[in-house]
Amino acid sequence: MVFLTIANLIRCRGPDEFWRKRKIFRLAAHYIGRRRNCYSVAVRNVHHALVYATKARRLKKQDMKDLWDTRISAACEQHNITAFSMREGLERSNILLDRKSLSDLAAWEPKTFQCLAAVASRKLHLDGFIDGTDQKAPTGKNLNLDNVILDDWLKEKK
Amino acid sequence: MSAAKRVQQWATFARTWHIFDCKWQDPYLSANVIKKYLMGMHKPIYHPMNDCGDVVVCINSRDIALRGDDWRQRAYFHHTGYPGGASWTLAWEVHNKDPTMIIKKAVYRSMKGNLQRRHTMQRMLIYPGEEVPEDIMQNVTNQIRQLRPVPTRLDHIPEDEVKKYPKVMEYPEDYVLK
């Protein structure tokens, strides 16, 4: 075993300066150029990096949430249901899945997700729930634009 | 269904070719739709670092419809980089010069500016008319739904159908039609 610090301890027994700077240099070890060699530049960059790291802990969660939302809305679109009404339908049928598990199901178990979408839309159909967000982007049964699900819902007896 | 069959997916990572008819479509609204297919955001496996985008073939880009007075009002900015190199071109001038330019710029601007954007744009093919080369057309397997139905023009409806249409009243004999 090699003790690298012992050599330094013998060399520098005086005031704290060496060790104080060393802590910063350790954090700046992977930087390039003067950012890792000059203390005054290194300490500025290390402080910035630590601030970024603190902020990123929240941003990472937000990024994952956005990614899951993108995936869920993509999968919902394949089954002619908006992400909004999917969420509402699942909640009403007491299937309490979060974004992460829903997007995992959408990517890895598409058939399960398809069943969930069917459950949600059936539940909304039984409840007589009309998705207001559908009005602008009609989701027809086939490519005929005149055939809009919303109109079918309104015509049917509830 | 067995566990293996349940999770089986065919051609998940395949590049699908879509076709989009720009006729009478707003380029800035349809850009958001086209972008979704180009970047692969319509797939549940989407990830920004994942090369899962599709190819979109846009046809009839000559027949796009801008909102309101945009043909005359909207200006496209260009700068050569030299002093005094700025120029502003109106939308109708750009469209006369190159009928594919407006939809192309609309899609380009709708995407976030990163290193991937120019490569994603390479996957978008635009044709001013309906003629698409045979080798491209044979790849197309899906049509993207238009955002709004193409309106029917009165002078394109057959003469006898117009005559058959029920009238509210007949014009008087001495009424002067402009």
Side-chain angles (χ1 to χ4, degrees):
Chain A
M1 198 182 271
V2 186
F3 292 102
L4 291 173
T5 29
I6 284 185
N8 282 327
L9 270 171
I10 296 161
R11 196 187 299 160
C12 183
R13 257 158 294 160
D16 188 38
E17 190 188 3
F18 175 80
W19 296 104
R20 185 164 49 80
K21 288 186 174 178
R22 194 181 141 87
K23 270 193 291 186
I24 298 296
F25 279 130
R26 290 296 288 270
L27 290 172
H30 61 289
Y31 293 170
I32 298 172
R34 287 210 300 154
R35 304 169 84 203
R36 61 171 286 168
N37 296 325
C38 300
Y39 178 76
S40 60
V41 182
V43 69
R44 196 165 60 209
N45 283 288
V46 164
H47 282 166
H48 281 155
L50 292 175
V51 168
Y52 291 145
T54 309
K55 283 178 182 168
R57 281 199 289 276
R58 277 176 195 281
L59 288 177
K60 188 181 176 186
K61 294 175 186 73
Q62 186 60 45
D63 285 350
M64 287 313 289
K65 206 169 148 189
D66 289 347
L67 179 64
W68 293 331
D69 275 336
T70 318
R71 286 180 171 177
I72 290 170
S73 51
C76 285
E77 208 167 88
Q78 291 179 351
H79 303 304
N80 262 346
I81 187 171
T82 57
F84 172 75
S85 46
M86 173 90 184
R87 200 180 162 80
E88 183 74 27
L90 286 183
E91 204 171 292
R92 283 179 185 218
S93 33
N94 208 19
I95 303 173
L96 305 172
L97 292 173
D98 60 352
R99 285 187 175 88
K100 187 186 178 188
S101 27
L102 264 182
S103 69
D104 276 349
L105 286 179
W108 301 105
E109 302 215 359
K111 301 235 169 70
T112 314
F113 190 87
Q114 190 178 4
C115 297
L116 285 176
V119 166
S121 57
R122 187 68 194 152
K123 179 67 181 171
L124 291 183
H125 181 74
L126 291 175
D127 282 6
F129 176 84
I130 293 169
D131 185 354
T133 57
D134 265 354
Q135 282 171 345
K136 278 191 176 173
T139 51
K141 280 171 187 164
N142 48 31
L143 265 179
N144 185 6
L145 268 177
D146 301 328
N147 181 3
V148 179
I149 278 186
L150 184 71
D151 291 352
D152 292 359
W153 280 351
L154 291 172
K155 276 174 211 156
E156 276 172 21
K157 282 180 189 171
K158 296 192 189 81
Chain B
M1 194 180 283
S2 69
K5 284 274 180 193
R6 194 187 68 220
V7 295
Q8 187 177 46
Q9 301 185 53
W10 291 111
T12 311
F13 295 97
R15 242 197 238 301
T16 318
W17 290 54
H18 307 267
I19 197 164
F20 182 75
D21 191 353
C22 301
K23 195 164 201 169
W24 282 89
Q25 303 301 307
D26 186 329
Y28 309 102
L29 293 181
S30 38
N32 289 323
V33 178
I34 294 170
K35 175 191 94 172
K36 203 170 68 185
Y37 286 87
L38 280 179
M39 292 168 70
M41 287 168 87
H42 64 300
K43 298 179 183 179
I45 57 161
Y46 170 77
H47 190 271
M49 305 289 282
N50 179 0
D51 182 22
C52 61
D54 285 348
V55 183
V56 178
V57 182
C58 290
I59 58 167
N60 283 331
S61 74
R62 192 180 282 119
D63 302 326
I64 53 170
L66 291 199
R67 309 164 197 160
D69 208 13
D70 265 9
W71 283 119
R72 266 174 279 173
Q73 297 287 342
R74 192 179 283 265
Y76 283 85
F77 178 74
H78 177 72
H79 201 289
T80 58
Y82 290 102
S87 67
W88 288 265
T89 318
L90 297 177
W92 65 269
E93 285 174 314
V94 173
H95 199 62
N96 277 352
K97 188 92 177 162
D98 182 3
T100 63
M101 187 75 97
I102 288 183
I103 182 85
K104 189 177 170 186
K105 277 184 174 291
V107 174
Y108 187 78
R109 282 195 57 189
S110 71
M111 282 189 284
K112 211 174 145 194
N114 52 17
L115 287 178
Q116 205 56 43
R117 176 158 68 162
R118 281 163 194 273
H119 300 288
T120 310
M121 282 306 291
Q122 295 292 309
R123 267 185 262 121
M124 186 189 181
L125 309 168
I126 314 169
Y127 295 96
E130 281 188 353
E131 300 84 38
V132 182
E134 191 54 41
D135 56 330
I136 284 167
M137 203 56 200
Q138 69 184 5
N139 294 322
V140 172
T141 50
N142 184 35
Q143 182 177 9
I144 301 173
R145 183 206 295 265
Q146 281 180 310
L147 285 175
R148 53 190 70 186
V150 178
T152 321
R153 270 169 58 175
L154 192 57
D155 55 337
H156 286 183
I157 302 173
E159 185 80 25
D160 47 338
E161 208 167 299
V162 176
K163 274 183 185 163
K164 261 195 291 176
Y165 203 78
K167 278 184 187 174
V168 178
M169 56 128 202
E170 290 284 349
Y171 285 112
E173 290 276 319
D174 51 350
Y175 191 82
V176 180
L177 277 171
K178 252 189 191 174

